[in-house]
Amino acid sequence: MSLRWRKSLSIAGCSLAIDVFLVAYWRWGMHDSWAATTRLDVVLLVFTAATTAYTWWWYGDPRREERVRRLRRERDERARLR
């Protein structure tokens, strides 16, 4: 599994766990109906989707991957010279 997949799935899983906690807290803490939490559900899911999409984009950016490879190469060369 690539780093891009791992990071994206990790962010999605953590965000969804937080979403479930917040909805449950809102639902049972405020004693509202499930219909009252619908707006909160939608907002949290949109935020989770946006965060996951941004993570997917960030770790798939070819320029970023090239920078990371170059920095690793430079770090390895410095370590070899020591």
Side-chain angles (χ1 to χ4, degrees):
M1 184 180 287
S2 70
L3 178 66
R4 184 181 199 184
W5 273 103
R6 279 184 290 157
K7 291 288 188 176
S8 297
L9 290 175
S10 172
I11 288 292
C14 290
S15 296
L16 286 173
I18 291 170
D19 294 353
V20 166
F21 172 77
L22 289 174
V23 168
Y25 177 76
W26 182 273
R27 165 69 174 91
W28 284 291
M30 305 289 256
H31 305 289
D32 282 335
S33 66
W34 283 111
T37 62
T38 304
R39 285 179 292 184
L40 177 66
D41 296 342
V42 170
V43 168
L44 290 174
L45 287 176
V46 166
F47 182 74
T48 298
T51 305
T52 303
Y54 179 76
T55 304
W56 177 264
W57 170 80
W58 175 258
Y59 285 101
D61 185 13
R63 289 176 289 164
R64 183 187 173 285
E65 287 182 29
E66 180 57 36
R67 282 194 313 263
V68 168
R69 274 193 231 114
R70 187 181 60 228
L71 290 173
R72 284 183 187 150
R73 234 184 351 254
E74 291 172 1
R75 185 181 61 214
D76 292 342
E77 288 173 7
R78 280 185 297 209
R80 208 177 14 241
L81 291 174
R82 290 183 188 173

